[in-house]
Amino acid sequence: MSIQISYRFVVKNEKNKDGLYPIYLRAFLKGRKIETATTVAIPLRDWSLRNQRVKILNKNYEKYNMILDAIDKKSVKLLVNNFLNEEYPLTLVQFKERLIASNHTSNEESFTDYILEYLDENKVKFKAETWFGYKSQISKILKFKKRICFSDITEKFINEYRQYMLYTLGNNENTAGKSLRVLRTFVNISIRFGYIKSNPFQYISIKKVDGKRDFLSIDELNKLTDYYLKNNLLKPIDKDILGYFLFACYTGLRYSDLKTFSKDSIVNDSIHLRMHKTGYLVNIPLSTKAKMFIPDSPSNSNRVFRIYCNKVTNKVLKKTGVQLGLNKNLTCHCGRHSNYSFQLKTNELQVSIF
């Protein structure tokens, strides 16, 4: 890899509101260019095209040239660091972003504040579940340490955070691993924009172990079904949640698919739905038992179920499981596992992919 970006200072042709001409840093790469504004603006006669600096006849020439010198040095440092320490050369956009970042950041600035700001500015780029999940992970990190600077993000910090999740929060290995993968995403964002110089995850392996997947037996499913159909004292929220959980048991829909499941998705006693996770368009037979859990009362929206947040859903399901004496960790995803279990037992595959 070689240093491919070149640059020089230029005077813009248009005057600003003060009648002065702004100085920009113009970078070049393979016939393309990008410009970054500086804080320097001068009369056109005060610019030395040959030296790319402000002439001595300008009363502020020392101050302005110090600013341009500093930008010059930062640009060189960015390009050299990229050449020596990174696998791929900078693009023009990356060069500009890192140059801007270097002008208003230090290692003592808040890592978490920056990531929260980045998430808010780029919210439209993320799926809603991903965005809220990322925000939740920031809250989790801040429980470990109230203020986290860029300079704090080291291999030691990551290992201590893992230990905190496993032994203080009681997270299992997979939950801790998921949080570390999100943290790694945040670190990669910071590296991309030049806030973190070296990758602290370089020598860290994030484990993923085969966990126990709870699923319902036929008897347990029948017990829950009878409880749903015959218990008239169920709170509305409990009945709603148990209803779409049992529907998932008979159809195999994920929680994310239940949220988008609409009345238009039911065609000729089948569910025609594009899976949220995979993007596949599937056709799932709608059995008589599954139909029992579709609400009778019409809703204002086209959605079939009123879906509560995942945390509330799982809390209600666990409470229901305890009340019925089920020795299972009931979660919404347990319904999908149960459906696959039934399919395997009956050697029937109920899902067709278009």
Side-chain angles (χ1 to χ4, degrees):
M1 184 180 77
S2 61
I3 297 178
Q4 301 177 11
I5 291 178
S6 61
Y7 64 87
R8 61 185 173 87
F9 291 104
V10 297
V11 182
K12 296 294 285 185
N13 292 328
E14 302 84 9
K15 295 180 182 179
N16 63 17
K17 62 181 181 180
D18 298 320
L20 301 175
Y21 292 83
I23 307 298
Y24 278 68
L25 182 80
R26 180 178 293 169
F28 303 88
L29 176 63
K30 297 180 180 178
R32 292 177 290 114
K33 65 182 179 181
I34 196 168
E35 293 180 340
T36 305
T38 74
T39 58
V40 177
I42 57 174
L44 191 58
R45 66 178 182 274
D46 293 351
W47 181 247
S48 171
L49 182 61
R50 179 179 178 182
N51 297 325
Q52 294 185 51
R53 291 296 187 269
V54 180
K55 294 178 181 178
I56 194 172
L57 58 90
N58 187 292
K59 64 179 181 180
N60 295 315
Y61 82 97
E62 288 184 333
K63 173 186 173 182
Y64 291 157
N65 286 337
M66 286 179 66
I67 293 173
L68 299 180
D69 287 344
I71 295 172
D72 200 353
K73 289 177 181 178
K74 288 176 182 178
S75 301
V76 171
K77 185 176 180 180
L78 278 176
L79 295 173
V80 172
N81 282 343
N82 171 247
F83 174 73
L84 295 176
N85 302 314
E86 299 182 38
E87 185 176 356
Y88 299 104
L90 292 174
T91 65
L92 285 177
V93 172
Q94 289 173 331
F95 174 75
K96 178 176 180 177
E97 288 171 342
R98 294 191 185 186
L99 184 60
I100 293 173
S102 69
N103 289 332
H104 58 77
T105 188
S106 73
N107 284 340
E108 299 311 310
E109 288 196 19
S110 172
F111 166 75
T112 47
D113 285 352
Y114 169 72
I115 294 299
L116 286 171
E117 183 179 346
Y118 177 89
L119 292 175
D120 288 338
E121 290 178 352
N122 295 275
K123 187 174 182 179
V124 295
K125 297 181 181 179
F126 299 102
K127 293 178 180 178
E129 294 87 352
T130 302
W131 188 82
F132 283 110
Y134 283 173
K135 298 273 279 193
S136 176
Q137 289 293 335
I138 288 291
S139 299
K140 184 176 180 178
I141 294 170
L142 289 173
K143 288 180 182 178
F144 171 60
K145 187 174 181 181
K146 291 184 178 180
R147 175 169 170 78
I148 304 172
C149 301
F150 289 107
S151 57
D152 292 325
I153 308 299
T154 62
E155 184 176 341
K156 182 175 181 289
F157 174 91
I158 296 166
N159 287 326
E160 289 176 349
Y161 182 47
R162 172 190 271 154
Q163 297 299 309
Y164 166 78
M165 289 188 286
L166 292 175
Y167 300 110
T168 301
L169 297 183
N171 292 164
N172 61 38
E173 192 70 50
N174 285 337
T175 300
K178 180 180 179 181
S179 294
L180 289 180
R181 280 187 285 274
V182 173
L183 176 58
R184 185 173 61 189
T185 297
F186 296 158
V187 168
N188 287 337
I189 291 170
S190 302
I191 292 173
R192 176 188 171 194
F193 292 106
Y195 290 88
I196 294 177
K197 303 304 179 184
S198 59
N199 186 1
F201 277 92
Q202 183 175 359
Y203 301 108
I204 289 180
S205 174
I206 302 177
K207 297 179 181 179
K208 188 173 184 179
V209 299
D210 292 332
K212 178 185 176 184
R213 292 190 172 186
D214 279 322
F215 57 86
L216 299 172
S217 66
I218 297 294
D219 290 340
E220 289 169 332
L221 181 58
N222 289 336
K223 192 173 184 178
L224 279 169
T225 301
D226 289 342
Y227 181 73
Y228 174 85
L229 295 174
K230 297 177 182 179
N231 190 340
N232 295 322
L233 300 178
L234 272 174
K235 295 179 181 178
I237 182 174
D238 293 356
K239 192 173 183 69
D240 287 344
I241 290 173
L242 185 55
Y244 61 73
F245 169 75
L246 290 168
F247 186 81
C249 289
Y250 286 107
T251 61
L253 292 183
R254 297 180 180 88
Y255 172 78
S256 55
D257 299 322
L258 290 169
K259 291 178 70 175
T260 59
F261 181 48
S262 67
K263 297 170 186 176
D264 296 335
S265 302
I266 302 175
V267 181
N268 298 327
D269 286 335
S270 291
I271 298 172
H272 290 239
L273 188 66
R274 189 170 299 281
M275 297 287 98
H276 181 271
K277 182 176 181 179
T278 63
Y280 293 139
L281 184 62
V282 301
N283 178 16
I284 305 172
L286 193 57
S287 66
T288 302
K289 288 187 176 180
K291 291 179 184 177
M292 294 190 301
F293 307 106
I294 296 178
D296 295 328
S297 57
S299 61
N300 294 330
S301 70
N302 197 33
R303 296 282 184 261
V304 174
F305 298 104
R306 179 185 178 185
I307 306 296
Y308 296 84
C309 75
N310 211 6
K311 185 176 181 180
V312 171
T313 296
N314 291 335
K315 183 178 180 180
V316 168
L317 290 176
K318 288 175 183 177
K319 180 186 71 174
T320 302
V322 171
Q323 288 174 341
L324 297 181
L326 302 181
N327 189 25
K328 296 289 171 67
N329 180 29
L330 284 193
T331 64
C332 197
H333 208 58
C334 177
R336 180 171 173 81
H337 293 161
S338 300
N339 177 263
Y340 279 136
S341 174
F342 302 148
Q343 289 186 36
L344 290 172
K345 288 178 180 178
T346 58
N347 292 320
E348 293 180 0
L349 182 63
Q350 299 182 16
V351 181
S352 300
I353 300 176
F354 297 120

